[in-house]
Amino acid sequence: MSAGVRALTRRVLNRTLLERQLLTRRVSRTPREAIEHLVAMQAQVPNGPYVGLWARLENFRRDDLTSLLEGRDVVHATMLRGTQHLARGEDFGWLRATVATLVRSALAQPYYAAQIEGIDPDELGRAGRGMLTGRTLQRRELGDLLVHRFPGRSPGRLAEAFELLEALVHPPPHPIWGGWGHRRGTPVALADEWLSRPIADASQPETMVLRYLAAFGPASVMDVQAWSGMTRLREIVEGLRPRLRVFRDEQGAELFDLPDAPLGEPDAPAPVRFLPAFDNAVLGHRDRTRVISEENRRRIAPRASAGVPLFLVDGFVEGSWSLTRDQLRMAPFRPLTDAETAAVRDEATHLARFVAPDGTEPAIIMT
């Protein structure tokens, strides 16, 4: 690497990430525009993307996202990292095709392998499409149909395996506001039918990398791989190198970025922001120290798989939050100054008003 390559400090990377993730200030973009910019929003729990958009957009209302989901402009499906995300309908086709090999690789896991042993994947795909064509079914209903065709197997496992093979979406009301936990009874529909357009056949990794850098750069190859769940992207990034700027971080790792993408100012102010569990602002890099210290990452690691809602102070994760019907609790990871405490409480008040299901705001408690 050339000695002339600029090194970016952690604070520059932090402020740049906040800008790219629309977290420096609430912006006037539409929810559809924001989701397009972010490529996809992780959506294991229904309310997560709503809070994520509330943290980023001016005057965001829950109905704004609900109408996009009901109108099929935005879809909920298995995508990046083999997990559930929201994406624009126009983006889902190429994105699903790009991560298809990753998604299908889960079939080799013991959880699926014993149940589909001896079944031709193409035959399972054809059978499932035939059963789902023209309708939406609960996943368990699809499994019950599939087990008649492939007896002696687990219905649920067959339905899940089919979803790994075929591009499906999870129609409303599954992804709509109303739940802080995983919903049961996932509905499934064929993505091409739901969107009234064919799903792309060809993978577009170059498009994926460029879109990722717009929202998460500067970033390393390993960062792109951690966000997408894919491997062997070095060759793709190398092919794009002539079109990219190259930096390095404080440890000397090579970082790539779009040529005209601005960098953040290290001393720029950063507001308190509450993020939902699994927000990609925190999960979108392998090296997450640009937004969460290694100490705090280890602090939440034992419960990270279940999802930990977090809040940012001065741009970095400094605490977690949780919500019940009666209480919004905040647990700082370090003692906050009086000014920081006031800012956290103020933003928590706004969050409480947004999430209140019936106009009765939960009590705000700092633990």
Side-chain angles (χ1 to χ4, degrees), residues 45-281:
V45 296
N47 292 359
Y50 287 84
V51 174
L53 290 171
W54 167 82
R56 292 169 165 90
L57 304 181
E58 288 182 344
N59 304 315
F60 174 72
R61 299 173 307 145
R62 300 201 296 256
D63 286 348
D64 296 336
L65 177 55
T66 297
S67 64
L68 292 176
L69 289 162
E70 292 177 338
R72 309 189 186 193
D73 295 301
V74 170
V75 297
H76 182 278
T78 299
M79 291 179 246
L80 301 167
R81 300 190 295 279
T83 57
Q84 297 178 16
H85 280 69
L86 301 186
R88 287 186 61 196
E90 292 89 340
D91 287 330
F92 174 71
W94 69 262
L95 188 57
R96 180 59 169 76
T98 302
V99 300
T101 300
L102 160 72
V103 172
R104 291 172 183 168
S105 68
L107 291 171
Q109 298 172 3
Y111 180 81
Y112 295 107
Q115 290 296 320
I116 63 172
E117 184 178 2
I119 296 178
D120 180 353
D122 291 338
E123 185 179 0
L124 176 58
R126 287 191 297 270
R129 279 197 68 91
M131 295 166 183
L132 204 50
T133 296
R135 56 181 174 171
T136 296
L137 294 175
Q138 294 292 314
R139 193 183 278 155
R140 65 176 180 274
E141 295 174 325
L142 177 61
D144 289 340
L145 294 175
L146 286 169
V147 82
H148 287 295
R149 176 66 182 81
F150 305 99
R153 318 290 175 131
S154 163
R157 215 69 54 83
L158 283 177
E160 292 171 5
F162 170 70
E163 187 169 353
L164 297 175
L165 292 167
E166 193 72 30
L168 305 183
V169 298
H170 308 139
H174 183 76
I176 286 176
W177 175 271
W180 294 101
H182 298 271
R183 278 189 171 144
R184 298 179 178 178
T186 304
V188 291
L190 296 172
D192 52 355
E193 288 192 344
W194 184 258
L195 293 168
S196 300
R197 67 170 68 92
I199 299 302
D201 293 326
S203 174
Q204 298 183 34
E206 293 87 358
T207 299
M208 184 186 71
V209 170
L210 294 173
R211 291 281 298 276
Y212 168 81
L213 291 177
F216 294 88
S220 69
V221 174
M222 299 300 289
D223 289 329
V224 187
Q225 293 184 165
W227 168 79
S228 66
M230 297 177 65
T231 59
R232 302 179 181 177
L233 291 178
R234 170 76 56 186
E235 182 177 350
I236 301 300
V237 176
E238 287 297 332
L240 291 169
R241 184 184 286 270
R243 300 166 55 185
L244 302 175
R245 284 190 298 175
V246 181
F247 302 100
R248 61 183 175 88
D249 64 18
E250 292 174 316
Q251 288 70 48
E254 197 171 37
L255 305 176
F256 298 90
D257 202 9
L258 301 181
D260 57 350
L263 299 175
E265 294 294 330
D267 297 326
V272 170
R273 284 293 180 261
F274 282 73
L275 299 178
F278 306 113
D279 196 288
N280 278 333

